[in-house]
Amino acid sequence: MKLSLVIPVYNEDESLEKLHEEICEVVTANNYDVEIIFIDDGSKDESWNVVTKLVEKDPRIRGLKFRRNFGKAAGLDAGFQEAQGDVIITMDADLQDDPQEIPRFLEQLDAGYDVISGWKQVRHDPWHKVGPSRVFNWMVSTLTGVKLHDHNCGMKCYRGEIFDEVRLYGELHRFVPVLAAAHGWKVGEIVINHRARQFGHSKYGVRRFLKGFLDLTTVAFITGYGQRPQHLLGGIGLLFFAIGFLGLFGLSGWWVIDRLIGAEEPIELHKRAIFYYSIVSLLLGTQFVTVGLLAEIIRSAMAPQTKSYFISQKVGVRDEAS
């Protein structure tokens, strides 16, 4: 079994050499056949120079350098496409993920799981990162049905063939277990050791939390209705259409009865607020159904996804062409 370690890097020049040493200790102790793939996501420090030096020392290392910062999801996707291992483990480059946990992840694969997510049960992060993360994890588990305590954990283990079906874009890296579960893969979780940050600073902030919430709505739609968007959009449209139709039908009946009985003050529909609400509801219904049809057309005609990143350099890679 060949093991691929996929490690995105963004301004982590101080931690890379120590991380490499720790990985080598685990690999040597367990006699793993391993490749280590560092993806420099447009770092502004000396991270790429450190990766290049590590490649010269260790032929098991490969490095990819992005032209600019494309995001963690793009970095992981590039690593997944480059990886040749039967099993892929992702981890962060900031030393908070402990390489000593690698054997425990592989044990879970032997137990029959296809995806194993790490759970930082005891966290060494500031409160403003831990609090929103717990809320986010609860929302993801509730909306997607994939019950994990720590969807945000960067240390995860996958069977390599999963990425023949699951592709990343945007900021969907934290939802790989959800996307894999939607394809029928078995997802598990283990508690892992989370270490305090030694270098640099956290990239987490309020902006990332808001982005994560928006990405959650995308994943919920993809996993629930990605193959049948009209079922959701058209269903909402028909509901609005039915409300508008019933409103106008009721008003029309009222107007006819009013005329038949010869009321002294006949109703004037254009002066009733419900008349306009019903029209707006009909229009909304028509729009939702139309958008649903367009989504179905786009899905059926969509070409294969293009890459969301561009690589400027590669080191330690057999095919140097980008």
Side-chain angles (χ1 to χ4, degrees):
M1 179 186 71
K2 187 177 183 64
L3 173 64
S4 296
L5 299 181
V6 174
I7 307 173
V9 176
Y10 183 64
N11 296 337
E12 306 288 358
D13 57 356
E14 296 177 295
S15 62
L16 290 176
E17 291 188 0
K18 181 171 177 54
L19 176 61
H20 175 245
E21 291 175 4
E22 293 184 352
I23 291 173
C24 288
E25 290 176 4
V26 175
V27 169
T28 301
N30 293 275
N31 196 29
Y32 292 143
D33 179 13
V34 69
E35 63 176 0
I36 306 169
I37 304 172
F38 290 108
I39 306 95
D40 184 350
D41 187 21
S43 296
K44 295 178 174 59
D45 61 2
E46 295 299 311
S47 293
W48 180 246
N49 291 333
V50 175
V51 171
T52 302
K53 292 177 182 178
L54 289 174
V55 169
E56 294 173 355
K57 295 194 304 182
D58 189 342
R60 298 170 298 183
I61 296 178
R62 286 186 272 166
L64 309 177
K65 178 178 174 59
F66 285 174
R67 294 176 188 166
R68 63 169 177 82
N69 179 254
F70 287 100
K72 189 173 183 179
L76 288 173
D77 189 42
F80 295 151
Q81 301 309 308
E82 190 68 38
Q84 298 176 354
D86 305 296
V87 175
I88 298 174
I89 291 180
T90 63
M91 58 191 305
D92 294 337
D94 56 12
L95 296 177
Q96 290 193 277
D97 293 335
D98 188 351
Q100 293 294 334
E101 299 289 354
I102 292 175
R104 297 183 56 237
F105 278 98
L106 299 180
E107 288 173 3
Q108 290 298 304
L109 280 185
D110 293 336
Y113 290 96
D114 303 304
V115 179
I116 303 96
S117 180
W119 172 16
K120 297 171 288 188
Q121 190 174 36
V122 178
R123 299 188 59 167
H124 299 279
D125 288 318
W127 65 268
H128 64 270
K129 180 177 179 180
V130 175
S133 180
R134 287 177 176 168
V135 173
F136 178 77
N137 286 318
W138 174 82
M139 288 192 304
V140 176
S141 295
T142 301
L143 291 177
T144 66
V146 179
K147 306 294 184 181
L148 296 177
H149 292 87
D150 194 356
H151 288 270
N152 278 316
C153 182
M155 195 167 192
K156 294 182 172 70
C157 180
Y158 311 94
R159 296 192 189 276
E161 58 263 33
I162 286 175
F163 297 103
D164 294 334
E165 303 174 7
V166 176
R167 291 296 303 272
L168 299 185
Y169 63 93
E171 294 290 329
L172 300 188
H173 56 276
R174 59 180 64 87
F175 300 111
V176 175
V178 175
L179 297 171
H183 285 258
W185 299 99
K186 188 176 181 181
V187 178
E189 183 178 50
I190 62 171
V191 176
I192 62 172
N193 177 37
H194 184 240
R195 304 184 293 190
R197 178 180 287 274
Q198 298 183 34
F199 306 104
H201 62 278
S202 173
K203 284 82 174 175
Y204 184 88
V206 175
R207 183 178 178 185
R208 178 180 164 187
F209 178 79
L210 296 176
K211 285 182 177 179
F213 178 75
L214 295 175
D215 289 331
L216 173 58
T217 62
T218 299
V219 169
F221 180 82
I222 290 173
T223 56
Y225 299 96
Q227 301 299 318
R228 45 194 174 93
Q230 183 68 304
H231 285 201
L232 176 63
L233 299 174
I236 295 173
L238 290 176
L239 176 62
F240 276 116
F241 199 88
I243 293 172
F245 177 80
L246 290 175
L248 288 180
F249 183 80
L251 286 173
S252 299
W254 186 11
W255 183 84
V256 170
I257 294 172
D258 189 71
R259 289 296 187 273
L260 290 176
I261 63 176
E264 294 182 0
E265 295 183 6
I267 64 170
E268 297 179 359
L269 296 183
H270 67 280
K271 292 184 179 180
R272 303 282 176 173
I274 192 173
F275 174 74
Y276 296 101
Y277 292 152
S278 298
I279 291 177
V280 170
S281 186
L282 282 173
L283 292 175
L284 283 174
T286 302
Q287 288 181 332
F288 269 101
V289 171
T290 302
V291 171
L293 288 172
L294 290 174
E296 290 282 357
I297 293 171
I298 292 171
R299 189 194 66 80
S300 64
M302 185 173 58
Q305 291 184 7
T306 57
K307 291 193 298 183
S308 60
Y309 56 86
F310 298 93
I311 298 171
S312 63
Q313 297 181 55
K314 291 184 179 183
V315 291
V317 180
R318 296 179 182 86
D319 179 10
E320 293 293 324
S322 299

